[in-house]
């Protein structure tokens, strides 16, 4: 069974930094795309950043220049370095991985349970 687990959230003052980590564990063949979404209270879940297996990245306009996504394929892990945090970055951050469980099956998306990031003004 594949699991995706985030860590690294917390409370930080505006202008501060946090680093989120997300690891996929269990029996899996390959992880294709990975990334982060976030959901603030009363708002829809929105894309934050994605990264392909070849390290091509994509960012929401609201985080460009402040957030950096990276991955360690050997450890099935994706990171989100968040700098210059703003109160509007406050949200639950969710990690996902497009994972092929075996060579015989197409990839499917696995989600983590989320980690809270709170930025105080």
């Amino acid at each position: 069974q594949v699991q995706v687990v985030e860590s690294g959230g917390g409370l930080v003052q505006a202008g501060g930094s946090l680093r989120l980590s997300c690891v996929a564990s269990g029996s899996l063949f390959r992880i294709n795309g990975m990334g982060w979404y976030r959901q603030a209270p009363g708002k829809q879940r929105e894309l934050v950043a994605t990264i392909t297996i070849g390290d091509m990245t994509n960012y929401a306009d609201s985080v460009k220049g402040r957030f950096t996504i990276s991955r360690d394929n050997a450890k099935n892990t994706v990171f989100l370095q968040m700098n210059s945090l703003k109160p509007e970055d406050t949200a639950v951050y969710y990690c996902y991985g497009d994972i092929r469980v075996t060579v015989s099956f197409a990839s499917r998306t696995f989600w983590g349970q989320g980690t809270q990031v709170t930025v105080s003004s």
Side-chain angles (χ1 to χ4, degrees):
Q1 185 75 357
V2 173
Q3 284 190 315
V4 175
V5 179
E6 306 97 334
S7 62
L11 173 64
V12 65
Q13 287 189 330
S17 298
L18 282 174
R19 189 187 196 214
L20 305 183
S21 300
C22 170
V23 60
S25 62
S27 178
L28 58 91
F29 171 66
R30 179 186 296 163
I31 304 175
N32 295 322
M34 302 186 80
W36 296 89
Y37 279 67
R38 67 186 180 187
Q39 187 166 19
K43 295 187 177 182
Q44 289 188 329
R45 190 175 295 192
E46 63 176 2
L47 179 145
V48 176
T50 64
I51 185 167
T52 69
I53 193 171
D55 288 338
M56 292 182 63
T57 59
N58 180 53
Y59 296 93
D61 287 342
S62 59
V63 307
K64 282 180 181 176
R66 299 188 298 122
F67 291 10
T68 302
I69 189 170
S70 61
R71 63 190 285 174
D72 183 337
N73 292 327
K75 297 181 179 179
N76 295 335
T77 301
V78 63
F79 305 97
L80 187 67
Q81 178 66 44
M82 305 185 294
N83 299 328
S84 303
L85 282 161
K86 304 175 181 180
E88 51 263 44
D89 294 317
T90 295
V92 178
Y93 284 69
Y94 296 92
C95 170
Y96 78 90
D98 290 326
I99 299 173
R100 289 182 71 180
V101 176
T102 73
V103 67
S104 303
F105 291 91
S107 63
R108 54 165 284 207
T109 302
F110 291 81
W111 289 92
Q113 291 190 325
T115 186
Q116 177 70 46
V117 171
T118 303
V119 184
S120 63
S121 57

